[in-house]
Amino acid sequence: MNAAQLSGYEHLLGIAEGAIAPPSIFATMGMLKLELVAGTVKIHCKASDQHCNPMGGVHGGFAATVIDSVTGCAVHSLLEAGVGYGTVDLSVKMMRPVPLGEVLIAEAKVTHLSWAIGIAEATVRRTDGTLLASGSATCYIKRPN
């Protein structure tokens, strides 16, 4: 079935269950597993050597990209078939360095959804709950004419 014929939730559920291939950003960013409930999404991810900065630490763009992805997916999970979205604003705060080679959990929840705007807040944590980064994204809702 064409993804445009699926609601956002159905599309993401297909990815989570393996019936639909994940987007290429999942492989690029070490995103391993997707879990969802409408309006809330978790992505398990792991930074690798390809995500390192010149000093050998994980680049801040790793957490920013993961937060952009998980917040966008949370908004997407509430959209009807044929409706898309795009990030128009992303805010990220880093609390601790992102560890290399460790599975992390990024979780986002939609805090506002209207006809034209979706807002979601996210965290990136170690599996023990230690907060590494948090952020929010505002998404423009692209509805067909």
Side-chain angles (χ1 to χ4, degrees):
M1 182 173 272
N2 183 337
Q5 297 173 311
L6 301 174
S7 70
Y9 182 83
E10 292 167 333
H11 184 211
L12 292 170
L13 187 60
I15 294 169
E17 293 177 344
I20 297 173
S24 59
I25 193 72
F26 274 46
T28 301
M29 297 308 299
M31 295 179 193
L32 311 168
K33 181 180 175 184
L34 172 69
E35 299 176 35
L36 70 148
V37 174
T40 302
V41 170
K42 284 185 186 179
I43 296 177
H44 299 242
C45 57
K46 182 171 30 172
S48 66
D49 290 336
Q50 72 180 7
H51 302 115
C52 289
N53 61 30
M55 296 176 294
V58 176
H59 190 281
F62 177 84
T65 302
V66 169
I67 287 172
D68 185 43
S69 294
V70 75
T71 53
C73 286
V75 169
H76 187 56
S77 75
L78 296 177
L79 300 179
E80 311 88 55
V83 177
Y85 68 93
T87 304
V88 295
D89 182 68
L90 179 66
S91 174
V92 177
K93 304 287 186 229
M94 313 292 192
M95 284 74 164
R96 292 180 176 84
V98 171
L100 189 62
E102 182 180 325
V103 175
L104 307 173
I105 300 170
E107 184 172 9
K109 181 175 183 169
V110 174
T111 58
H112 173 78
L113 185 67
S114 68
W115 184 254
I117 296 290
I119 300 171
E121 295 177 351
T123 57
V124 178
R125 297 178 185 272
R126 293 181 119 147
T127 57
D128 70 3
T130 303
L131 182 63
L132 304 173
S134 66
S136 65
T138 301
C139 298
Y140 171 72
I141 308 300
K142 299 185 229 177
R143 299 189 180 275
N145 295 332

